[in-house]
Amino acid sequence: MTTTPAGATPPAVVARLSRLDRFLPLWIGLAMAVGLLLGRLVPGLNTALDAVTIGGISLPIALGLLIMMYPVLARVRYDRLDSVTGDRRLLLSSLLLNWVLGPALMFALAWIFLAEHAEYRTGLIIVGLARCIAMVIIWNDLACGDREAAAVLVALNSVFQVLAFGLLGWFYLSVLPSWLNLSDAQLQVSGWDIAVNVLIFLGIPLLAGYLTRRLGERAKGRTWYESRFLPKIGPVALYGLLFTIVILFALQGDAITSQPWDVVLIAVPLLVYFAVMWAGAYALGRAIGLTYARTTTLAFTAAGNNFELAIAVAVGTFGVTSGQALAGVVGPLIEVPVLVALVYVSLALRRRLFPAEITTTARHDPAPDVVRSGMPRRR
């Protein structure tokens, strides 16, 4: 994604994107369709994809996630992280949104919209508990958010995920329904399984990205690293994203295509959730005086969910053909196009709400002729 030029309107920004970025929603839609078709047309594909797993997740999906995460984390300027951790407004707001309001909102929506569908309701609550640690970095980068802030908030969510997922699952799926005279099954998931997922899908690419930047800058300097090396590896992140979506939807292709009305039932509360969380976080960032970049980062990290972990927990606990697993798979089906659309909403709001920052950002763009996906601009 390009850094927004001074005075540019959203259509002008879109026109300056690489072909890969400009048609990202189309590529994602095609990836979903291909995955669904593969799941329906290739006998035994589900069994083959699930034959080898890492941290409870199919090996092809695991590889796609690692490939997707590495280029994004290689872009982070790790020497600037202290400027993010010192922003208490950002950190406290993120913790409140992700670990108090987000799970509570998803719990309420699940019971409002799926009161008669226990399996889907449980799966949706699990999605709400799995906070963002992966694809949100890509949405944040496309919307010109603060890359270093996103990395810190993702790392923070990862730590809290290890510590809080099992506890919050027990609370929202057992304790709270009992208090409210509701009935539901208790979620039983190992904290160690969650820790393994976090270590694999965040720890490995984070370490690789840090070492790549450190060694690359030491050998060639920052200018070479950001203007020559990053453009070469940048598109790999989106290729990994598309590959992951294909495989993910292939795993539940039969369930999604044979139960379209159930998909709609699950989709409605998800749409409400993403809209409320993103808009509420964006408004909060604006109200407490955050910059555009950090307001955007706060909004996307609050609205995004770690559907990979949610699917792994649902499949491991209830089975691959369960309604809980189907609810987990519908998550990215709704989240991906909605958050891509919100990227454009965020860029449009930038000019209206943060006009003074546009000129400053353009003046300090370290690599103005390189788009964020790593593709050179067309002049």
Side-chain angles (χ1 to χ4, degrees):
M1 177 66 102
T2 53
T3 300
T4 308
T9 61
V13 172
V14 173
R16 295 173 68 91
L17 298 181
S18 70
R19 185 175 292 108
L20 185 64
D21 283 340
R22 190 183 310 167
F23 297 106
L24 180 59
L26 174 62
W27 307 141
I28 290 174
L30 290 175
M32 292 176 179
V34 170
L36 292 173
L37 288 175
L38 287 175
R40 290 283 290 178
L41 300 178
V42 180
L45 181 61
N46 287 7
T47 302
L49 291 176
D50 279 333
V52 181
T53 63
I54 295 179
I57 295 181
S58 170
L59 179 60
I61 292 181
L63 293 176
L65 293 173
L66 293 174
I67 292 171
M68 178 181 72
M69 291 291 291
Y70 163 67
V72 177
L73 292 171
R75 297 181 191 139
V76 176
R77 290 183 173 182
Y78 293 93
D79 57 352
R80 290 184 54 195
L81 294 184
D82 58 341
S83 67
V84 179
T85 55
D87 191 339
R88 293 185 178 180
R89 295 173 303 169
L90 177 65
L91 292 181
L92 292 177
S93 297
S94 180
L95 288 174
L96 174 66
L97 289 165
N98 275 285
W99 296 103
V100 178
L101 299 181
L105 175 62
M106 189 69 90
F107 175 87
L109 293 174
W111 276 98
I112 291 171
F113 288 96
L114 298 172
E116 304 300 323
H117 303 272
E119 290 189 357
Y120 298 156
R121 186 179 67 241
T122 299
L124 208 63
I125 293 172
I126 293 173
V127 171
L129 298 177
R131 310 311 301 170
C132 61
I133 69 167
M135 290 193 346
V136 68
I137 295 180
I138 290 181
W139 313 137
N140 175 78
D141 217 35
L142 289 172
C144 300
D146 189 317
R147 191 177 299 155
E148 286 74 28
V152 170
L153 295 182
V154 163
L156 190 64
N157 277 342
S158 301
V159 173
F160 269 78
Q161 206 140 210
V162 174
L163 300 175
F165 188 97
L167 179 62
L168 287 175
W170 169 73
F171 176 76
Y172 279 105
L173 293 172
S174 181
V175 175
L176 188 56
S178 177
W179 287 352
L180 300 176
N181 294 321
L182 304 171
S183 60
D184 205 0
Q186 179 178 348
L187 173 65
Q188 297 179 348
V189 59
S190 167
W192 173 247
D193 290 340
I194 298 173
V196 168
N197 278 283
V198 172
L199 289 173
I200 291 173
F201 299 115
L202 181 67
I204 292 176
L206 181 61
L207 178 62
Y210 171 79
L211 291 176
T212 300
R213 176 172 278 276
R214 185 174 180 83
L215 296 176
E217 289 189 354
R218 179 180 297 176
K220 298 282 190 176
R222 175 163 291 186
T223 299
W224 173 87
Y225 183 84
E226 293 187 341
S227 64
R228 300 289 297 277
F229 179 74
L230 288 183
K232 292 181 180 180
I233 68 169
V236 174
L238 293 181
Y239 298 149
L241 168 63
L242 297 177
F243 174 79
T244 301
I245 290 173
V246 169
I247 301 301
L248 191 61
F249 281 83
L251 284 172
Q252 282 272 2
D254 183 70
I256 292 176
T257 55
S258 62
Q259 304 174 60
W261 178 244
D262 287 359
V263 172
V264 173
L265 287 176
I266 299 168
V268 172
L270 282 169
L271 283 170
V272 176
Y273 172 84
F274 293 132
V276 171
M277 285 299 295
W278 190 90
Y282 202 97
L284 176 61
R286 175 70 172 166
I288 63 178
L290 296 180
T291 64
Y292 166 81
R294 293 194 173 180
T295 296
T296 297
T297 297
L298 181 66
F300 280 99
T301 52
N305 289 87
N306 182 8
F307 61 81
E308 303 90 355
L309 177 61
I311 291 170
V313 171
V315 170
T317 306
F318 303 102
V320 70
T321 60
S322 65
Q324 291 88 345
L326 177 60
V329 172
V330 173
L333 177 66
I334 305 303
E335 178 179 1
V336 170
V338 168
L339 292 190
V340 168
L342 288 173
V343 167
Y344 293 98
V345 173
S346 185
L347 290 172
L349 289 175
R350 186 185 192 186
R351 179 176 175 82
R352 179 182 295 273
L353 300 179
F354 301 88
E357 295 183 27
I358 296 177
T359 302
T360 302
T361 300
R363 187 184 304 124
H364 292 90
D365 186 355
D369 293 321
V370 177
V371 300
R372 298 207 173 203
S373 66
M375 303 293 286
R377 290 180 183 169
R378 295 180 179 273
R379 293 188 179 278

